Amino acid sequence: MKKVTGLLLLTLLHGFFPQTALAQDDKTALVPLPSVDDFTRGKDGWAFALGAGIEYETAYEGSDEFGFEVQPAGAIQWRRGDDILYFAGEALGWRGLRADTWLLEALIGFDEGREENDSDDGRLNGLGDTEEGFEVVLQARRAFSNDWRYWLVSRLVTGDNGNLGLFGVGRRFGDKTDGSGSELNLVAVFHDSKYANTGFGITAEQSLASGLAETRLSSGLRSIGLDYNYRHNINDNWQIFGEALYEHFSSEVRNSPIARSNYEAEIGIGFIYIF
């Protein structure tokens, strides 16, 4: 579940002005949203895409350390009508369009956890590593109209480390229906106590080893976030994409000694080649 400065300026260039959507007969992507990968060009069957991106992001949740990281991009997809099965990175999933205004998605992903050495400054020393594990993600978006100009979004992430829920609203910019353009989402994120303490809690044993105060968090609001996505088709095979995310933590999360910053942020750009 598992970010805004430079790319958000592009949002202002698009502007919050009315735009006329193209006829639905011209639609090639499952939904015309740049955050939803669709490399099928509107055709049934297999699709392959491969690329990479570079991200400038916080070292771990709550960190005040930043660094660059190279990430793979692309996917293997199989489409039939309004349904797509896909394998992307460490996720295996399905998404489907229903009644032109409902986008449903389910996937099994991998949570890499957190390691003590994620902090170059030694801020995590004594806390040990959080466990890796699988997680299930269920998501639904409900558009206000079939041009997907505005929508509501909800997401549930559940796994060995607890549960996280997300609720928000989104806005698409641009007229194209091939998945290019940009979008902005405003979301509220909630977590249960197990998920909260996996990331920001400190047990008595960890407190003795690290010197940090023992901390126990309760379930509730985790953060308010902004997520901006951009995608542009350079030609028939090449795409450029970008994302910026900003997540401002709730007061309880900010009070954790692990949270060295009041926010988490990420900005990234990359290229994808569609075969």
Side-chain angles (χ1 to χ4, degrees):
M1 339 42 164
K2 206 169 238 127
K3 338 173 186 176
V4 176
T5 309
L7 289 181
L8 281 180
L9 294 177
L10 295 176
T11 307
L12 299 178
L13 295 178
H14 286 286
F16 286 81
F17 299 107
Q19 299 180 35
T20 302
L22 298 180
Q24 291 303 303
D25 291 342
D26 296 330
K27 181 174 67 176
T28 57
L30 188 67
V31 288
L33 302 181
S35 64
V36 181
D37 290 337
D38 184 352
F39 306 119
T40 65
R41 298 186 175 97
K43 300 177 182 179
D44 286 356
W46 291 98
F48 304 89
L50 183 64
I54 184 168
E55 299 175 348
Y56 184 69
E57 60 184 353
T58 48
Y60 58 90
E61 292 182 340
S63 174
D64 58 357
E65 304 168 54
F66 285 80
F68 289 96
E69 184 174 359
V70 176
Q71 294 282 0
I76 301 173
Q77 299 177 339
W78 182 81
R79 179 169 181 171
R80 183 174 182 179
D82 287 334
D83 295 277
I84 292 179
L85 299 175
Y86 63 88
F87 177 72
E90 299 174 337
L92 178 65
W94 160 87
R95 61 175 63 106
L97 180 65
R98 297 295 180 268
D100 289 333
T101 56
W102 280 96
L103 179 65
L104 307 177
E105 185 165 7
L107 67 90
I108 299 175
F110 186 73
D111 182 2
E112 295 180 350
R114 186 188 67 205
E115 299 180 355
E116 280 192 14
N117 60 16
D118 285 344
S119 172
D120 293 334
D121 296 338
R123 301 284 174 79
L124 300 175
N125 290 350
L127 297 181
D129 300 339
T130 60
E131 294 183 359
E132 302 174 340
F134 288 95
E135 58 188 16
V136 175
V137 180
L138 304 174
Q139 180 170 269
R141 298 199 206 192
R142 173 65 164 88
F144 292 108
S145 61
N146 59 11
D147 64 357
W148 283 85
R149 186 65 61 198
Y150 298 93
W151 61 86
L152 301 175
V153 60
S154 62
R155 181 186 305 157
L156 172 65
V157 180
T158 182
D160 294 336
N161 292 328
N163 303 294
L164 178 143
L166 176 151
F167 305 93
V169 295
R171 166 72 154 96
R172 179 173 72 95
F173 307 92
D175 295 331
K176 294 183 179 180
T177 56
D178 58 1
S180 64
S182 62
E183 70 178 77
L184 184 67
N185 293 273
L186 173 64
V187 299
V189 185
F190 301 84
H191 52 202
D192 64 11
S193 59
K194 185 175 182 180
Y195 197 100
N197 286 289
T198 297
F200 297 99
I202 300 173
T203 66
E205 182 180 1
Q206 289 173 322
S207 178
L208 289 174
S210 66
L212 300 175
E214 183 177 351
T215 303
R216 179 73 183 175
L217 283 72
S218 59
S219 59
L221 178 67
R222 169 192 170 93
S223 62
I224 300 295
L226 279 172
D227 183 18
Y228 176 77
N229 288 271
Y230 173 80
R231 190 180 301 271
H232 174 70
N233 294 319
I234 300 173
N235 53 39
D236 288 342
N237 297 103
W238 283 100
Q239 287 185 350
I240 182 173
F241 67 91
E243 182 181 13
L245 185 145
Y246 177 85
E247 183 181 8
H248 191 81
F249 295 127
S250 67
S251 58
E252 184 181 41
V253 172
R254 295 198 304 268
N255 288 334
S256 168
I258 295 176
R260 311 291 301 195
S261 177
N262 294 337
Y263 65 90
E264 180 180 1
E266 177 182 313
I267 186 168
I269 189 170
F271 294 88
I272 291 176
Y273 183 84
I274 304 173
F275 294 88

